[in-house]
Amino acid sequence: QLSSFRFTVKRLFSASRSSVDSEEMRKFQLLAHKWWDEEGEFSALHSMNDIRVPFIRDSLLNMSSDYHLGNPLAGVKILDVGCGGGLLSEPLGRLGASVTGIDPLEDNIRTADQHKSFDPVLAKRIQYKSSSLEEIVEESMETFDVIVASEVVEHVADLETFIKCCSQVLKPEGSLFITTVNKTQLSYVLAIVVAEKIMGLIPEGTHEWEKFVPPEELERLLKANGFSVKAVNGMLYNPLSGSWSWMESTSVNYAVHAVKSGAQGQSSPADPLSEMEGEQPSATSTAL
Amino acid sequence: TSAAMAAVCCRGFLSPLCGRLRAGPRAPLRSAAGTAAPPPLYDVVVSGGGMVGSAMAAVLGHDIHFHDKKIALLEAGPRKEYDRVPDSYSNRVSSISPGSATLLSSFGAWDHVCSLRYKPFRRMQVWDACSEAMIVFEKDDLDDMGYIVENDVIMSALTKQLDAVADRVEVFYGSRAVGYTWPLPSHTCDTSPWVQIELADGRRLQTKLLIGADGHNSVVRKEAEIKNIEHRYDQSAVVATLHLSEATDNNVAWQRFLPTGPIALLPLSDTASSLVWSTSHEHAAELLSMDEESFVDRINSAFWSNVNHSDFIDTAGAMFRSAISFLKPSGTAVRQLPPSVAKVDPGSRATFPLGMGHATEYVQHRVALIGDAAHRVHPLAGQGVNLGFGDIACLAHHLSAAAFNGSDLGSLKHLLKFETERQRHNVSLIAAIDVLKRLYSTRLAPVVLLRTWGLQATNALPPVKVRI
C-alpha cells in the first residue's frame, strides 16, 4: 500500500509527463459519488450506453466468427480508460468481457468498486485500478484485445502520448473505441452553451471547447501511430427524450473504431479500403 | 371510470423516470463481514406460477440472451403436469388467440398442447337477447380464429418446457412469498441494490428484477404500493362442461348477451362444449344448486328463447338491416343456430366472482407486473389470458434487448417502454370490454336500439370488424 501511496504522490507532481490533466481531475473530484444516479449529473452518459455498447459489441462480433449470443464478449480483455464510476465497464462485463477499468481519480475507483461489489458475476469480471494510462503501460504491454476511451480524449493533456500508450497496451489487430466531441461552432453552441449553461444537462465547466478534438485530427494521429480507422459515426443527443442516436454528421459528437495494425506493421490484406483512405488527406466518414 | 383510467395512466413525457419514489420498507443494511452469506442472487424472479407467470419464466429461459442468467419462478401450489389427458374435460378453459398460440410455439409449448387436447374454432357468433342483431367474426381465409384449450393442458405444456430449461430456470413449488423489501433507486453505500424476497418457509432470495404474475389480488402490486383501479361486478361466472344433443362440426364459439349477462358456449370437441355464463350472484347460486335437467333446460332457453324481444325493437332492427343490405349487399351474414345441449358433466359446475381491475403503473424500479396482476377483465370477450400473453411477448422483447446491451435488467428505462406499449394497447381494450358489459346489461329500449344498430353496423363494416 506504500507503493500505491507513492504512485498517488508521483501522479500529482508529474502532470507534465502524463496525459492526465490535474485541472480536469479537480473538476471530477466533486462529482465522484454521483456517478450512479441515472437521473443526475451523469444521466447523458448513462443513456449513451444505449448506443455505445451496441456499437462496441457489434463491431467486435462482426470481426469474429466464434461467439455465443448469450455471452457475446466472453474471453475478450477490455481496458476501459477513464472509466469514472464504471458506467461503461459494467455493461461490457455483463456481456462476458474481462474488464480492467482505470481512472486517475481514486474516488471514482472507489465508487466503481463499491457499485460492482453487490453483483458477484461483475465483481469477478471487472477489476478497477486507480491509475493513469502511462502507469500501466510497462506491466501491460500488448495485453488487451480492446481499449475503450469514451468521453476521455477531450479531457487529456497530450493526445498523441495517449494514443501511443493505447497502441502499446493493445494486442496486434486489437480494437480501439473512442467517443468524443468535435471542435466546431455547432459543438460550442450545443455541448457548452446549451448543455452546460442553459439546460444544465452536464455540470458547468465539464468541457473546454479548446480541448475538443476534430475527427480529422484524431484520424491523423491514429494513422500516424499504427492504427487503421474502420468507422467514424456522428452521434446526437436529444435533450427532450434524454436519448442518443446516430447521425451522418460528426459536427457535435462522434465515435471512432480503429484497429491496431498486425504484427508485421502492415494493414491486413483484406483491407484495401483503409489503404485507399490513407492516401487521401481528408478523411471520409463512413456510416454504420 | 374508463376516462379516469386513461387519465391516471398518462405520465409526463419530459421526466419519465421521476415520480416513482419508493414508499415501501427500505432495503436492509449490508451485514457486517463474518455473518451469514447473502441470499442467492437471481437475475429475474417471477412471482406466481399460473399460466402467465410460468409462460414468462419459460420464455426468458428459452431466450438466447438469457443463456447465462439465473431465473427463479415462485409458485405456491404443487407441480401440475400430466402425460395423458384425463377422459373428462376440465371446466376451466381459455380462448387462445392466434397471437398467443404463436408465443406458445416460440418456445415449444404449443406442440405439447396439440399433442394433449385443444379445439380450434373458425367462427364466432355474438348476438343480443333483446333483438335480432348479431355480429359474426370469421377469417376470410378459413384460418382458425382461435383455440379453446383447457387451462390444465396449458399448464402441463408450460411445465414441460420449464423442465427443458431447468439449468436456467429454478422453479420453487409450494413456495409463497410473504415479504418484499425494495431498494432505493440510486443506492448509497451500505444498502443492497437488489429486491429482497422472503418466503413463507423463511428462505430468502435476492433479485435484480421482480416480475409480479400473482393474479388480480397481487401481493407484489400491493407491496409496491401501486394503486389499482378496481371494480367488482355484481356478477359471477358459472362454468360447466356440457354434452351436445348431437355431434356436429362444432367449430363455432357462441355468445348471447342476456340482460342478466352474457352466456357463451365454447367448443371442446364434436360432442362437448364449455359453458361460461356470467350472471348475477343469486342467479349463479341458483344455477349451481338446481338439478342437472333444469340446468340444461335453462341453458337451452337462454340461447333459444325470444322472450326479451319487443316488437318495436324487432321492427326497427329489421328496417336497419334492410337499409344495410341495400347499401352493402354482403353486409349481413347468415345466422347460424347454436347447438342444443343434452346434458352436463356431473360435478363440473362451478362459479367464481367477476371484477375489473387496472393497475395505474405496470412497472417500478426493479418491478414489473404482468397478467391479471396488472389488469383484470370480464370474460365476455375471452381476452383475459391473451392480454397476459401479450404482456409476456412485449416484456420479453425488451428484456432480451436489454440483456444483449449489457443493461441492468431492473432499470426503469426499458421497463417503462414495456409499460407504455402495453398500457396503450390494454387500456382501450379494457375500457371497451367494460363499456360492452354495461351496454348489454339493460333492457331499456333506447339503449337496446342503439346497440342493435351499432352491432348491425359493425357487422356490416369490415374495417371495424377486422380491428376487433
Side-chain angles (χ1 to χ4, degrees):
Chain A
Q1 293 355 40
L2 189 58
S3 54
S4 70
F5 171 69
R6 261 204 305 244
F7 262 136
T8 317
V9 172
K10 202 166 145 195
R11 201 179 331 118
L12 286 177
F13 286 99
S14 59
S16 54
R17 274 211 301 133
S18 82
S19 57
V20 174
D21 186 323
S22 50
E23 258 307 311
E24 300 277 355
M25 277 178 55
R26 238 184 303 264
K27 272 188 305 201
F28 280 100
Q29 178 81 47
L30 300 165
L31 302 164
H33 58 286
K34 298 201 177 160
W35 284 101
W36 286 100
D37 183 359
E38 280 187 40
E39 299 162 56
E41 276 86 354
F42 293 110
S43 63
L45 279 181
H46 277 277
S47 58
M48 198 193 279
N49 277 344
D50 292 341
I51 62 168
R52 59 183 171 172
V53 173
F55 176 56
I56 297 169
R57 173 198 78 206
D58 293 340
S59 306
L60 294 175
L61 292 185
N62 280 336
M63 297 194 314
S64 136
S65 51
D66 179 29
Y67 56 86
H68 187 284
L69 283 174
N71 209 356
L73 298 183
V76 179
K77 290 185 69 176
I78 302 185
L79 175 69
D80 184 1
V81 184
C83 61
L87 266 57
L88 182 52
S89 301
E90 287 203 5
L92 295 175
R94 284 195 199 98
L95 291 180
S98 304
V99 184
T100 303
I102 62 171
D103 196 279
L105 213 48
E106 273 206 31
D107 281 348
N108 286 347
I109 296 297
R110 206 171 301 133
T111 305
D113 261 326
Q114 202 263 330
H115 193 265
K116 73 156 193 185
S117 66
F118 292 103
D119 184 339
V121 167
L122 285 185
K124 245 182 17 185
R125 284 196 191 144
I126 308 177
Q127 305 307 320
Y128 290 114
K129 227 173 131 172
S130 173
S131 163
S132 73
L133 183 55
E134 291 79 3
E135 278 155 18
I136 62 157
V137 165
E138 271 179 43
E139 69 210 26
S140 321
M141 296 293 288
E142 300 205 343
T143 309
F144 296 100
D145 301 297
V146 177
I147 299 182
V148 303
S150 180
E151 305 303 296
V152 160
V153 299
E154 70 267 25
H155 297 287
V156 303
D158 182 352
L159 186 52
E160 180 138 30
T161 310
F162 183 85
I163 293 178
K164 279 190 164 50
C165 293
C166 285
S167 180
Q168 286 173 298
V169 301
L170 203 54
K171 288 183 190 164
E173 318 248 359
S175 283
L176 171 63
F177 294 94
I178 293 176
T179 79
T180 187
V181 194
N182 195 349
K183 189 176 179 183
T184 61
Q185 285 185 337
L186 187 58
S187 75
Y188 181 76
V189 171
L190 289 183
I192 299 202
V193 176
V194 175
E196 287 183 21
K197 300 195 199 300
I198 297 183
M199 294 192 71
L201 298 168
I202 50 180
E204 202 167 329
T206 301
H207 287 132
E208 285 171 42
W209 189 79
E210 285 304 318
K211 298 177 79 173
F212 284 171
V213 183
E216 302 79 25
E217 169 76 7
L218 186 57
E219 279 189 73
R220 183 187 66 77
L221 282 172
L222 286 169
K223 284 180 193 157
N225 286 283
F227 284 93
S228 78
V229 177
K230 296 292 179 199
V232 180
N233 300 299
M235 295 158 56
L236 183 67
Y237 183 65
N238 179 343
L240 290 180
S241 64
S243 63
W244 289 87
S245 53
W246 296 110
M247 73 166 177
E248 270 293 327
S249 151
T250 55
S251 3
V252 192
N253 296 77
Y254 64 97
V256 174
H257 173 210
V259 172
K260 176 177 168 182
S261 15
Q264 278 76 33
Q266 290 167 344
S267 320
S268 46
D271 208 20
L273 257 180
S274 64
E275 284 183 6
M276 271 167 48
E277 267 179 317
E279 280 157 12
Q280 282 152 13
S282 56
T284 49
S285 318
T286 44
L288 233 186
Chain B
T1 48
S2 317
M5 219 162 40
V8 173
C9 293
C10 289
R11 43 187 71 255
F13 82 102
L14 276 181
S15 50
L17 296 181
C18 296
R20 305 268 193 172
L21 295 173
R22 184 55 45 86
R26 289 277 170 246
L29 292 181
R30 197 192 205 170
S31 41
T35 54
L41 174 64
Y42 290 87
D43 292 286
V44 179
V45 167
V46 181
S47 183
M51 286 191 284
V52 173
S54 301
M56 181 86 242
V59 167
L60 290 179
H62 282 84
D63 187 300
I64 187 138
H65 300 305
F66 272 74
H67 188 264
D68 286 358
K69 308 253 184 265
K70 284 176 64 177
I71 303 165
L73 173 63
L74 302 176
E75 165 55 26
R79 189 184 152 94
K80 286 191 192 130
E81 183 191 14
Y82 41 58
D83 279 315
R84 275 176 48 249
V85 281
D87 291 325
S88 60
Y89 288 90
S90 158
N91 59 8
R92 294 304 304 270
V93 305
S94 295
S95 165
I96 301 296
S97 68
S100 298
T102 305
L103 174 74
L104 291 173
S105 55
S106 73
F107 60 97
W110 190 246
D111 286 336
H112 296 309
V113 169
C114 295
S115 69
L116 287 169
R117 188 157 61 192
Y118 77 117
K119 185 79 177 75
F121 62 94
R122 298 258 165 80
R123 200 169 185 263
M124 202 169 9
Q125 178 167 307
V126 178
W127 73 112
D128 196 340
C130 296
S131 78
E132 290 293 317
M134 158 192 92
I135 185 167
V136 172
F137 295 96
E138 62 193 332
K139 285 218 173 134
D140 293 323
D141 37 1
L142 292 184
D143 257 348
D144 296 325
M145 266 205 73
Y147 311 91
I148 305 297
V149 189
E150 294 152 87
N151 292 358
D152 286 343
V153 167
I154 298 176
M155 275 312 308
S156 184
L158 293 174
T159 305
K160 274 213 177 65
Q161 285 312 94
L162 283 172
D163 285 344
V165 287
D167 53 338
R168 251 159 275 160
V169 183
E170 208 177 321
V171 187
F172 293 74
Y173 290 107
S175 305
R176 181 186 305 276
V178 295
Y180 298 102
T181 314
W182 312 111
L184 297 164
S186 35
H187 65 287
T188 53
C189 266
D190 287 325
T191 58
S192 164
W194 315 127
V195 178
Q196 313 290 323
I197 305 170
E198 191 180 336
L199 301 180
D201 58 9
R203 276 183 298 180
R204 300 178 144 269
L205 309 171
Q206 298 188 88
T207 181
K208 301 175 187 173
L209 172 65
L210 173 67
I211 299 182
D214 46 350
H216 65 262
N217 283 323
S218 168
V219 174
V220 173
R221 188 188 67 222
K222 290 193 184 119
E223 294 273 313
E225 299 192 2
I226 293 176
K227 284 206 192 40
N228 192 41
I229 299 171
E230 54 188 43
H231 177 80
R232 262 188 218 137
Y233 293 128
D234 283 324
Q235 285 189 341
S236 289
V238 174
V239 293
T241 308
L242 307 173
H243 294 276
L244 307 177
S245 307
E246 49 188 44
T248 161
D249 262 339
N250 208 13
N251 51 18
V252 181
W254 310 94
Q255 178 153 286
R256 193 178 199 198
F257 281 101
L258 308 172
T260 47
I263 178 171
L265 216 56
L266 306 171
L268 289 172
S269 73
D270 288 348
T271 54
S273 287
S274 185
L275 172 79
V276 184
W277 190 346
S278 310
T279 183
S280 67
H281 297 307
E282 304 78 35
H283 189 216
E286 207 191 312
L287 287 171
L288 228 58
S289 55
M290 64 177 59
D291 60 285
E292 292 178 5
E293 262 193 48
S294 317
F295 183 66
V296 168
D297 281 341
R298 292 293 186 94
I299 295 172
N300 282 324
S301 96
F303 273 109
W304 291 83
S305 121
N306 282 339
V307 73
N308 285 301
H309 285 204
S310 82
D311 287 335
F312 170 63
I313 299 288
D314 280 350
T315 319
M319 270 171 42
F320 197 67
R321 213 175 29 253
S322 15
I324 290 183
S325 53
F326 179 69
L327 293 167
K328 206 178 185 315
S330 63
T332 54
V334 174
R335 173 193 292 278
Q336 282 190 10
L337 299 170
S340 75
V341 178
K343 68 183 189 71
V344 56
D345 245 355
S348 71
R349 275 185 274 176
T351 179
F352 53 92
L354 300 177
M356 174 218 98
H358 193 248
T360 52
E361 297 167 345
Y362 287 2
V363 301
Q364 270 188 15
H365 181 58
R366 299 204 184 286
V367 181
L369 300 175
I370 57 174
D372 279 7
H375 40 70
R376 182 191 184 198
V377 295
H378 196 282
L380 68 82
Q383 287 309 306
V385 80
N386 294 312
L387 283 180
F389 286 138
D391 291 344
I392 294 175
C394 182
L395 182 56
H397 164 79
H398 286 292
L399 288 180
S400 182
F404 195 43
N405 281 351
S407 303
D408 178 354
L409 288 176
S411 163
L412 260 181
K413 234 176 351 170
H414 51 265
L415 292 180
L416 280 173
K417 288 191 196 152
F418 153 73
E419 181 190 75
T420 308
E421 260 182 64
R422 287 311 288 172
Q423 282 195 339
R424 204 179 285 149
H425 174 275
N426 292 347
V427 169
S428 40
L429 186 59
I430 295 169
I433 294 175
D434 189 60
V435 162
L436 269 182
K437 187 237 167 250
R438 292 169 200 280
L439 188 64
Y440 277 92
S441 298
T442 173
R443 276 197 194 83
L444 293 178
V447 184
V448 175
L449 201 58
L450 214 64
R451 74 192 190 208
T452 300
W453 286 345
L455 200 60
Q456 286 172 324
T458 310
N459 194 30
L461 297 171
V464 181
K465 263 172 68 168
V466 165
R467 200 141 186 317
I468 300 178

